[in-house]
Amino acid sequence: MTVRSKSRWMGLAAGAALVLGLGGVLPRAALAQDAAPAAPEPAAAAPAAPQLPAYFSSTNDPAKPSWPDPTGGASGIWATPAGDGKGDVPDQLKPTDLYDRIAHNLISINFVWALVTGFLVMFMQAGFMLVETGLCRAKNASHTSAMNFMIYPLGCLGFWIYGFAIGWGNWWNGPVPPGWYASLGPGLAVLNHGWGLGAASDAAGTLTGAFKYGIIGLKGFFLNPSVGDVGVMTIFFFMMVFMDTTATIPTGAMAERWAWRNFVIYGLWIALPYCIYANWVWGGGWLAQAGVNWGLGHGAVDFAGSGVVHSMGGIIALAGAIVVGPRIGKYDKQGKPQPIPGHNIPIVVLGTFILAFGWFGFNPGSTLAGTDLRISFVVVNTLLASITGALGAMVALEIKGLKHDPSMLCNGMLAGLVAITAPCAFVSPWAGAAIGAIAGVVVVYSVLFFEKAGVDDCVGAISVHGVCGLWGVLSVGIFANGDYGAGWNGVVRDEMVKLYGSDGVRGLLYGDFSQFLAQSLDCVVVAVFGFAMAYVWFKVSDLITPIRVAPEVELEGLDIPEVGAPGYPDFAIRTVGGAHHVMSQE
Amino acid sequence: MKKIEALLKPYQLDPVKAALYDVGLLPGVTSTELRGYVSGVAERAEYRGVVQIVDLLPRIKIEIIAHDDLVDRIVETIQKVARSGRPDDGEIWIGPVAEVVRIRTGEIDEAALA
């Protein structure tokens, strides 16, 4: 996902140069690139100085600021009844009035798109819960379901309190292509305060709020009134459900032995590593700036989050699985892995279908613009990768002489979906299919590898999300074909424009090896940063409250000791009165 | 021939089965999932704010039909593996069996156990 989807702006490049030529209208964009793109030729050619409306240029009147805009009145004009008091009689309206009304509709379509696809992503929480509970034993069903349920409120709380501010607080000061405007309205300009290295100043010497190497944002804690804007609310919600996807991944790898109280404090912490890294890739931070700063392609490119969401989740899961240790009985005395089958395969399959459905919100929603028609390519790539992922897993099992285990086939589909999440907007359909197929094969071998290596991962989360997420990030640098993403992260290279007509995101197969380097850097950073943060956290949290349950609790089942209610009470619970000569009652 | 019924905690099934197999004392075993009552032991479950004392605890019963000479060693092996010192370790019931018939061949008694 990244809000900087810019291919639709290729046709407006001339107009954009015009806007910049007005000088000082968009100081932020001018700073994002080292060379001043305010070309003198267009200014000389233009007789008058056309002004973009404020809701596209995001220039606030300091005397009467229009945003943060809590009602949507600053994004064009609502029609019927007209928000500008000019009435709705068609032959009394001027073209500018019509333009205002059209612009409002455009922004409205983008709002509806971002919000409704966000609803689909929220529904993926149900998919995760079904997959993880089905792959655990019945004695732990209540506890596993409860973890997958409560991660949603706990993660959201952390994101609301501090995560969104850290991740997106300085989003407006990230690198963007010339002439860019926010698809969700002008109010996103309020996300303009953060911290980094190399504070930038404008010609007059005042700090602009941008940094050469953005590190974190610092605006929007508790969604306070300074960010009380309709566009900010939309992006908050959309990013929140993405963060919850990351948050729920480790609950799968660490299930069946993770103490409930330790899980609760993890739920409040998870926003921290996620949002810091998200700032670096999506919030305008230094990984996104690796293009304008170091010439590495368009900087780190991750459309919907193979790296930000899935790799981070999988790597945190790896650190957690290592710290909490394998389940009792998983490895025999010789260290050979023993199978611990799940208790309900049908709900694993159902959960996988729900996740595949939700992914149709995850990937295309990341345009944050229903008006960006690239969404159809994103949907098709997502679809093809999902099916070739499942087929690839089937082929891998066949090669290894194993039966076509449904839970492995489901892992294969999810692996394909995880891998396509970064490249979905940038690759051709054949490449989408190939990326998914490779992920489907890789996940089977990865699951067996980690099991043999002594890391007990109940559901394959480390392989599906961590390993295949890294593959997804890398595949952008291989398969991106340059059709989309012109000016991504503010990078417009003349030699690319000369060769191809525009500087879209392209990988090494299409003539840009530097993009592959940027993606490799992205992979290294998420692996090192995510693992270090998570490992330290889990070790420290173990001192606050034990991370692992007692062996007797683990053997009996975590349901009653940890969360009080058994998953499948059967007939025993319904006896009223109970044993009167037993433990002391209330 | 005797029938040995051992009521075990569910997670003891695999260790007990493995131990009997290792010492060559496993002519055959049938297992059932059930719940059993043990005096003095109960779980405290909470359901939507109400406390319930659950005294029928999960169990797995294994049934083994064996020659009279093997019975003592089987019982000893089960006890060694399944004893944990807690009051809900379980019980072993031993009783006589009148006749055993193998369905496939029609062999009776000792021949059916071989």
Side-chain angles (χ1 to χ4, degrees):
Chain A
M1 170 284 350
T2 259
V3 286
R4 287 151 173 79
S5 60
K6 309 323 145 208
S7 66
R8 61 174 186 257
W9 288 105
M10 286 164 53
L12 279 168
L18 219 55
V19 169
L20 288 168
L22 297 179
V25 172
L26 288 170
R28 177 188 50 75
L31 269 158
Q33 289 128 277
D34 292 324
E41 316 93 60
Q51 295 258 346
L52 273 184
Y55 46 79
F56 283 144
S57 66
S58 295
T59 40
N60 233 344
D61 178 357
K64 223 168 61 103
S66 302
W67 47 85
D69 162 26
T71 59
S75 299
I77 296 295
W78 242 323
T80 316
D84 59 0
K86 294 192 181 161
D88 291 308
V89 181
D91 52 14
Q92 288 174 4
L93 294 174
K94 295 207 285 293
T96 47
D97 302 323
L98 293 171
Y99 188 96
D100 284 342
R101 284 151 175 77
I102 292 170
H104 187 88
N105 289 346
L106 178 153
I107 293 174
S108 305
I109 292 175
N110 298 339
F111 265 64
V112 169
W113 178 251
L115 290 171
V116 171
T117 51
F119 302 158
L120 262 68
V121 176
M122 181 269 169
F123 191 51
M124 284 168 69
Q125 299 289 306
F128 279 109
M129 171 257 147
L130 289 166
V131 170
E132 293 179 19
T133 305
L135 287 173
C136 291
R137 288 165 289 185
K139 64 185 185 183
N140 298 317
S142 185
H143 173 260
T144 308
S145 311
M147 283 203 297
N148 279 279
F149 175 73
M150 277 313 282
I151 193 58
Y152 176 59
L154 292 166
C156 180
L157 186 67
F159 191 76
W160 169 54
I161 292 176
Y162 66 90
F164 178 70
I166 290 179
W168 285 265
N170 205 17
W171 179 83
W172 191 248
N173 285 322
V176 287
W180 175 89
Y181 78 86
S183 61
L184 293 173
L188 292 172
V190 301
L191 296 171
N192 58 3
H193 183 50
W195 176 78
L197 302 173
S201 324
D202 62 15
T206 40
L207 294 172
T208 59
F211 295 90
K212 192 147 155 70
Y213 307 105
I215 308 276
I216 55 169
L218 288 173
K219 190 163 178 190
F221 294 96
F222 288 95
L223 277 183
N224 60 73
S226 74
V227 296
D229 179 272
V230 288
V232 173
M233 292 300 132
T234 305
I235 205 174
F236 169 86
F237 170 72
F238 193 76
M239 293 306 153
M240 203 292 288
V241 290
F242 272 55
M243 192 219 67
D244 260 340
T245 304
T246 302
T248 192
I249 293 168
T251 62
M254 299 167 65
E256 306 211 273
R257 63 248 198 245
W258 195 2
W260 176 255
R261 288 176 187 275
N262 187 285
F263 154 77
V264 168
I265 56 176
Y266 154 85
L268 299 169
W269 162 85
I270 182 67
L272 184 67
Y274 176 85
C275 294
I276 293 178
Y277 179 71
N279 176 279
W280 297 348
V281 179
W282 286 344
W286 66 276
L287 279 171
Q289 295 164 320
V292 298
N293 285 341
W294 302 321
L296 293 177
H298 287 82
V301 172
D302 191 343
F303 192 69
S306 291
V308 180
V309 176
H310 297 285
S311 293
M312 179 59 80
I315 284 160
I316 295 175
L318 174 65
I322 290 176
V323 171
V324 82
R327 290 168 285 180
I328 297 174
K330 177 66 188 175
Y331 296 99
D332 66 10
K333 286 192 205 48
Q334 288 79 36
K336 204 155 111 21
Q338 307 295 305
I340 301 185
H343 81 281
N344 193 335
I345 292 298
I347 72 172
V348 174
V349 176
L350 172 65
T352 303
F353 267 128
I354 288 178
L355 286 171
F357 171 69
W359 237 288
F360 288 128
F362 205 93
N363 286 355
S366 297
T367 56
L368 292 180
T371 48
D372 181 352
L373 302 185
R374 188 69 179 174
I375 50 181
S376 58
F377 269 88
V378 174
V379 166
V380 168
N381 283 332
T382 304
L383 170 70
L384 290 177
S386 70
I387 59 137
T388 57
L391 293 168
M394 197 163 89
V395 165
L397 290 169
E398 187 71 21
I399 291 175
K400 288 187 89 45
L402 300 168
K403 291 224 172 77
H404 301 172
D405 179 349
S407 68
M408 278 291 219
L409 301 177
C410 291
N411 273 164
M413 172 169 278
L414 296 178
L417 287 164
V418 165
I420 196 66
T421 301
C424 50
F426 305 111
V427 300
S428 313
W430 72 262
I435 292 168
I438 294 173
V441 172
V442 163
V443 78
V444 171
Y445 285 92
S446 175
V447 165
L448 300 171
F449 165 78
F450 277 108
E451 204 174 50
K452 267 209 255 320
V455 178
D456 182 14
D457 180 356
C458 310
V459 306
I462 299 167
S463 304
V464 169
H465 296 277
V467 174
C468 293
L470 293 173
W471 162 239
V473 172
L474 279 178
S475 64
V476 176
I478 302 174
F479 294 97
N481 62 12
D483 278 354
Y484 183 74
W488 203 266
N489 283 338
V491 174
V492 181
R493 294 164 291 184
D494 292 331
E495 60 273 15
M496 290 295 179
V497 176
K498 237 199 298 272
L499 271 174
Y500 304 110
S502 71
D503 192 4
V505 176
R506 53 182 66 238
L508 58 88
L509 289 180
Y510 291 85
D512 188 359
F513 184 72
S514 66
Q515 187 62 52
F516 183 77
L517 294 177
Q519 302 305 107
S520 308
L521 171 67
D522 193 6
C523 284
V524 169
V525 170
V526 71
V528 170
F529 175 73
F531 191 86
M533 287 279 281
Y535 191 82
V536 167
W537 163 259
F538 284 122
K539 283 291 193 191
V540 165
S541 74
D542 196 15
L543 303 170
I544 303 174
T545 173
I547 192 172
R548 190 166 179 155
V549 296
E552 312 84 61
V553 171
E554 186 176 330
L555 287 170
E556 302 272 357
L558 277 68
D559 281 3
I560 292 181
E562 291 294 295
V563 295
Y568 304 103
D570 299 332
F571 58 89
I573 285 284
R574 288 193 218 122
T575 41
V576 175
H580 30 267
H581 51 280
V582 179
M583 303 154 47
S584 57
Q585 319 196 16
E586 259 68 30
Chain B
M1 292 169 302
K2 294 263 176 24
K3 178 203 252 196
I4 304 163
E5 291 171 279
L7 288 111
L8 307 169
K9 302 212 61 69
Y11 57 83
Q12 284 159 340
L13 171 64
D14 280 333
V16 164
K17 198 159 57 74
L20 287 172
Y21 186 79
D22 283 340
V23 298
L25 293 175
L26 199 64
V29 62
T30 307
S31 78
T32 322
E33 285 180 46
L34 39 73
R35 283 190 173 255
Y37 170 77
V38 178
S39 163
V41 182
E43 285 179 319
R44 177 205 155 96
E46 297 160 23
Y47 186 71
R48 298 171 72 84
V50 180
V51 174
Q52 293 245 307
I53 304 299
V54 183
D55 50 12
L56 281 181
L57 304 175
R59 288 243 180 270
I60 290 193
K61 177 165 82 160
I62 60 173
E63 296 173 70
I64 305 170
I65 316 284
H67 288 285
D68 292 345
D69 341 322
L70 296 180
V71 168
D72 285 332
R73 288 170 58 207
I74 292 178
V75 168
E76 200 184 295
T77 309
I78 296 176
Q79 262 197 302
K80 195 158 55 122
V81 174
R83 174 191 290 129
S84 72
R86 283 196 297 273
D88 58 352
D89 271 347
E91 285 181 350
I92 305 177
W93 305 335
I94 304 149
V97 166
E99 235 180 283
V100 175
V101 179
R102 177 172 279 154
I103 294 180
R104 181 173 56 93
T105 56
E107 287 159 309
I108 318 181
D109 293 348
E110 261 74 19
L113 290 181

